[in-house]
């Protein structure tokens, strides 16, 4: 069994986000950290470190326009030279002043055209980088009841999604992201999985739902959504992070490691592991250093996956069938309570990696090197 | 315009629930009130009082088996004699010891068969009472992670729903209710509108979603769901009540009258008013007297409807189109801030009713009469 | 170090609640289980089994009037004969029809007198049983804005608490419990720790706050409250259970084991371990068997405690002082990620216990014995 | 009675915040608006417009260092010339890179000294401007469990508060603000009213709690806190705004006007009206124009106050005393359902103001004037 689990863990791929290496923060303050990248090339270099020490983070998601370059083929080559590849393309239609009242759902048709243009441009970039996945998140929504027509905004959204869908090439898909609130504070146009699902369903199989683990109302059972979307064959992937309150964007597994385990269990149970489900990180390292923050996050996903793989499926199914509540719970918790760190250390050594990625990165001197070298220029960042 | 609004208000129909007239409570205590009905016939008599004084509550929903009788045609005649009719049939598959681990999603096929049998019996009762609507709420779910297989439970649910759907006759439909939690505390099998919607979609147009206003996670924008389901032509109706925390089942409009106004606005905006959307009350009058509790609730729905009808659609649409946030908000709030009680009083008088239903009921002596007459026998109630 | 940890674990005392052995449920249904106790004597017998197999549950909390007997000294002797003792006395002023609008905060002075009488009677029982702790939970509150005067209810509450405080003997204390909502749905009279704290502060050191881990608003950081109350020397103890949504009363550690670890860490950090802080269970085993439900819960508290004891205080303090966010987090998580079950199994064996209490109980035949013997009579239960 | 109400409304004073006139936004984007002030002088000019049209907003709160000037006496004169005065001084210890891990609770004593220095400087500014109130909000907290010692942070907080308290002159006070989360995502050092209250209690009467209506966990009953703090004589004032989800900082009364009414009712009921309780606005007009956003907010507070003043205290008290749930609720709701806009329009006319402040401002041409004049220079804003 341990052999199977190791084989499964060896297959795992976790995508890091280019923006996690830049500065981030809250509306109150973006704290600047030393050595932070100043362009997409430096971001890829940092992401390559995460893969170097974990061995399971071979692709990097881009964010357009934050990662805009003149030569995307060149950027892709640069990534390859660093040992990584370009992953999903993330569109950004929330940072121009034009988008104050929305992008694709804006009451102004001119703004809608502009936003759609950007989305289509993202597919152009996918063609150039060879990316298979477009991630669509819309901050669109309203702050005050009555501010705009909720239904008309759905019509506008449907129109834009259809145009993007039609533009997708063979082997390309888009993932539609939902989010309860922020930055819209009354009604968000894609607030929950049901809304994203309904839109995707009308378009076809290339439209799938992406679950950002920080985007739900308090008390929402996320693994239920995962199980349900897998059953409906509409789960496209994850934006992993963790939260205690709202969309805190903390390191995945930091706030509720048991929840992460339950999510990974449903992924595996639903046949979503090792398939086309994308495991992406989407986090903000506001106060911790970025590269080790990403390494730790990758390790947290690995640990949750290892525990989920350890669940004794037969024992669990047997207890469930008998209605043995405590027996089923015990079979489930037995896996969660296991310390899988030795197993993962062993796995890393077998793959020629250091068993302790955090310590290995620390010893590598990379952190000191970028602090020394990256002087001058504007650090990458996001938000206002 | 006032004429149109009055005409619209005159058309409104609000359905009262038979169980609201019985005793109810929390898990801590069901407080007994004097004069409470002892059988379905007395419940209908009380419901008829609500209609007598408000003029807009002509039907009464039944709950099976709480309202089981030998002669449903006789019960329907009894209702007609009282001036009301039988409305929706509510199934109950949560109060037998067999259902401890679920009804239609129970791991035990025998329990599932029993539960399905009950649901089909409810359709038989619909045939006898002439009811067009079956309301399905499942308390099914699990309390502990791992307790049962989330996905298998969806398979079982789909199977039961299909069997019920096939049994529906012409002019009959079912409404599928969702609820975040309680009595299941880990995963509820129909926890949100998306789940209910997805199941209904696969079955056909006779399967629709019912929105219980107390069944959402904190922060959920309910009127968005209403607008969305109307756009998808899948909104079947409401179970109205209000809540500050969980499924408190307080009188509708008591906790957040502005929310009720927003919901009614979206109903009207989405073309759901005066159509097949059922406005049903589903409340627990734990500490207040039942009949006036229902009268007050009906009045609260009327007031919210009147305000929603008062929204100046042109002014609102104009401001929305211009992106005038404060102007659109003002147009919306102007209607909400209007005191519509004089309008409703006038409307009642025009219909030969007392302008003040609460006072009229109080003066009627009905409350004293039932306290005096209903002595002996077991009072109707619900819950454990 | 392992020696110290074992010594600390050996000192741990967890109190079981008599009511956990009776039937419980939600407002929708109390499912009856076979073999459930029919009186306080049988409850104590069941609680003794929990202590027999875990070795750390030597006392049992009583609930008055559920556990009313004629001869409390005799009940205490019965407990001693079974190898356990009587713990805290829990008052119950929420299950008489008189308390519909409150007990000690009721607008009716007659009801207030009755409620206070019950509380004082509980102190009488403490004198008889030798209990040192009175637990006060008030379901008092209102369902509708305006229903009663919020401030006057505080005045009435303060008056009752003062009377109880004055009645306490040497070596006696009361613990005041707070709860956000349920069964009151608008305003609860003791809704949060701040309210409980403020009342206790005015009375003196014998009045302390008890933290029920299921009684908070979503998102509340419970361990912060624990740390704060310990710093103020006002933490009296815990009612342990776990929840995903509201006051679900699931087995402690079942919903969020990481949270339980964090709570135990703050207890230890704040000097509350092994002192006068009472670790009590307060759970409802609605769908799982009661005795093994309690055994599992005791084990969950032990495991969280063991992990919290494992935190390397020096490493943690060092990283904290340096502002090393990831280092401090790693030191903390290192303890949590450790599998402490072998340590606890060893500890049990050293104490002459079976290393696996769940299996040992199962093998003991006690479950079958009570099912066979406890036939006839009314099973103990709670709620409506 | 209408005369009394008018007199009370005439006495009302609502303080506007200088920062509401600058640009604001979310972490995703701060949208720039035209005509926004470029310095504290222009902010005061805009705030003066709010007072000019509403007549009840005669003071303006400052935020240091955002409103730092060389000559505070000159700034105060400038305000007086504009017809307004300087109100509370708001400290800001969250926007320097030094504060990444906290200000007064930072593990680094050097950072703590710096933060305390800023707080004391704010008192110096109070001396210069004649402000009586210092508002203290600390963003201090941690993002990850274990990151820092929760209890040590309380010790550091207490030390800083004591130093500030000692520095306060006669007629000066500080208001301590609490907030559940953001920007700290695991544990905030002053997360709830209980924490703020406990710290104030130890210092003395010049330390009071300020309630920001957007800073609570979901489901928190804010008016209960208001009533409780008034009973304890520790309520210092409000930061008014409204929210659907987290700290949305929408216009007060926009999200839940009924809640605002309930809050104002408790203020009046508790004797906090017309006393030293400060009614301050603290909002972000991210997408709506700032000055009319403030005017509308002031009007919303006035309307809620007028309704609260309309509550028939005798009718309410009578129904409450009799335990007449529906009668008490009706007395309460009767006031809320009244349209008080005509009364307020009348009141304004009697005071020589335009009855419609929004329209009057629009007609004034001030909006066009500032857009034309304020060209060049950096617009005021906040956040990162």
């Amino acid at each position: 069994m341990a052999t199977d689990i190791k084989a499964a863990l060896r297959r795992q791929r976790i995508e890091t986000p280019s923006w996690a290496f830049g500065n981030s923060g809250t509306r109150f303050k973006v704290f600047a950290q030393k050595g932070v990248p100043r362009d997409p090339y430096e971001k890829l270099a940092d992401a390559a470190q995460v893969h170097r020490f974990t061995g399971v983070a071979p692709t990097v998601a881009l964010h357009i326009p934050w990662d805009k370059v003149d030569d995307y083929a060149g950027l892709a080559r640069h990534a390859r030279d660093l040992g990584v590849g370009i992953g999903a393309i993330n569109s950004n239609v929330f940072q121009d002043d034009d988008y104050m009242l929305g992008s694709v759902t804006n009451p102004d048709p001119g703004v809608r055209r502009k936003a759609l243009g950007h989305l289509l441009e993202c597919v152009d970039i996918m063609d150039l980088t060879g990316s298979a996945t477009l991630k669509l998140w819309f901050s669109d929504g309203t702050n005050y009841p009555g501010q705009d027509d909720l239904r008309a905004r759905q019509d506008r959204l449907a129109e834009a999604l259809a145009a993007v869908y039609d533009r997708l090439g063979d082997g390309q898909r888009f993932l539609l992201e939902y989010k309860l609130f922020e930055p819209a504070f009354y009604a968000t146009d894609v607030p929950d999985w049901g809304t994203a699902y309904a839109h995707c369903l009308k378009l076809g199989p290339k439209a799938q739902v992406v679950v950002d683990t920080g985007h739900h109302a308090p008390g929402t059972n996320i693994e239920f959504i995962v199980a349900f979307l897998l059953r409906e064959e509409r789960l496209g992937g994850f934006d992993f992070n963790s939260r205690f309150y709202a969309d805190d964007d903390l390191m995945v597994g930091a706030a509720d490691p048991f929840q992460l385990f339950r999510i990974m269990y449903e992924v595996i149970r639903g046949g979503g592991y090792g398939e086309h489900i994308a495991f992406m990180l989407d986090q903000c390292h506001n106060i911790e250093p970025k590269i080790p923050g990403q390494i730790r996050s990758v390790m947290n996903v690995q640990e949750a996956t290892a525990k989920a793989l350890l669940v004794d499926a037969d024992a669990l199914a047997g207890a469930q069938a008998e209605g043995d509540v405590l027996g089923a719970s015990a079979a489930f918790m037995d896996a969660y309570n296991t310390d899988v760190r030795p197993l993962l250390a062993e796995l890393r050594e077998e793959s020629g990696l250091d068993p302790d990625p955090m310590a290995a990165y620390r010893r590598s001197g990379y952190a000191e090197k970028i602090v020394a070298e990256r002087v001058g220029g504007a650090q990458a960042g996001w938000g206002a």
Side-chain angles (χ1 to χ4, degrees), chain A:
Chain A
M1 188 178 173
T3 321
D4 288 355
I5 292 173
K6 276 190 184 169
L9 289 168
R10 224 169 262 129
R11 284 202 315 273
Q12 189 163 37
R13 296 288 171 266
I14 299 163
E15 186 163 306
T16 56
S18 71
W19 56 95
F21 301 98
N23 284 319
S24 64
T26 68
R27 60 175 169 145
F28 295 101
K29 171 71 177 168
V30 172
F31 295 104
Q33 295 190 11
K34 287 185 182 165
V36 158
R38 295 160 300 176
D39 60 38
Y41 301 91
E42 292 183 351
K43 290 186 203 170
L44 286 171
D46 288 3
Q49 296 295 313
V50 180
H51 184 49
R52 175 181 162 200
F53 292 105
T54 63
V56 294
T59 57
V60 189
L62 299 187
H63 211 288
I64 306 299
W66 296 340
D67 295 325
K68 240 178 170 168
V69 293
D70 288 332
D71 175 12
Y72 287 100
L75 189 69
R77 265 195 316 275
H78 174 74
R80 264 198 309 279
D81 292 346
L82 290 160
V84 292
I86 305 290
I89 301 299
N90 288 256
S91 62
N92 176 323
V93 283
F94 55 86
Q95 290 197 318
D96 286 0
D97 279 324
D98 282 339
Y99 298 141
M100 188 169 81
L101 302 180
S103 65
V104 295
T105 68
N106 197 300
D108 180 337
V111 177
R112 296 204 294 272
R113 271 192 303 274
K114 172 179 167 171
L116 178 57
H118 173 78
L119 302 182
L120 297 177
E121 185 196 353
C122 285
V123 187
D124 294 342
I125 294 172
M126 292 168 71
D127 290 342
L128 294 169
T129 56
S131 298
T133 300
L134 174 64
K135 184 132 56 75
L136 298 173
W137 173 62
F138 298 103
S139 68
D140 294 48
T142 51
N143 276 6
Y144 292 102
Q147 178 191 324
D148 198 8
D149 189 276
L150 297 184
R151 182 161 172 159
R153 291 177 81 95
Q154 290 299 315
D155 296 338
R156 297 171 201 150
L157 173 65
E159 194 181 321
L161 291 175
V164 176
Y165 193 87
D166 288 347
R167 169 66 184 80
L168 292 173
D170 289 340
Q172 291 181 336
R173 62 173 174 168
F174 75 61
L175 305 186
L176 182 55
E177 192 162 339
Y178 59 90
K179 183 177 184 181
L180 179 65
F181 81 100
E182 197 216 17
F185 292 131
Y186 164 57
T188 299
D189 294 320
V190 189
D192 54 21
W193 76 266
T195 305
Y197 167 79
H199 278 286
C200 288
L201 206 61
K202 287 183 185 159
L203 292 170
K206 291 175 176 180
Q208 298 167 348
V209 182
V210 58
V211 174
D212 183 305
T213 47
H215 286 190
H216 303 84
T220 302
N221 184 322
I222 299 174
E223 61 267 28
F224 175 89
I225 297 172
V226 169
F228 197 90
L229 286 172
L230 276 167
R231 187 176 178 271
E232 301 291 320
E233 301 186 339
R234 287 284 165 176
L235 181 68
F238 291 93
D239 264 7
F240 277 128
N241 51 59
S242 74
R243 54 76 80 89
F244 287 95
Y245 305 95
D247 187 29
D248 306 344
D249 280 334
L250 300 175
M251 296 189 299
V252 58
D256 188 348
F258 183 42
Q259 182 188 59
L260 182 60
F261 162 76
R262 300 192 312 259
I263 290 171
M264 289 310 307
Y265 172 77
E266 294 301 334
V267 169
I268 293 163
R269 160 64 186 91
Y273 185 78
E275 298 299 312
H276 66 296
I277 309 297
F279 299 121
M280 300 173 285
L281 301 181
D282 179 16
Q283 305 175 155
C284 293
H285 303 297
N286 297 349
I287 62 166
E288 66 271 21
K290 322 296 185 181
I291 298 170
Q294 288 285 300
I295 294 174
R296 169 62 66 200
S297 303
V298 167
M299 293 171 70
N300 284 353
V301 175
Q302 283 186 296
E303 290 173 21
T305 307
K307 290 180 178 199
L309 288 163
L310 274 173
V311 172
D312 182 336
D314 291 339
L316 183 65
Q320 289 175 341
E322 288 167 27
D324 175 4
V325 174
L326 290 175
S329 166
F332 197 68
M333 296 309 291
D334 193 38
Y336 178 67
N337 286 324
T338 303
D339 189 344
V340 294
R341 294 174 299 172
L343 175 76
L344 284 162
E346 201 177 292
L347 186 78
R348 286 185 195 109
E349 289 196 304
E350 288 169 10
S351 308
L353 295 168
D354 192 291
D356 183 345
M358 292 292 281
Y361 171 75
R362 212 179 307 122
R363 283 194 310 269
S364 75
Y366 188 83
E368 293 75 14
K369 183 172 158 290
I370 54 178
V371 168
E373 289 179 2
R374 293 176 183 169
V375 175
Q379 291 184 314
W382 75 294

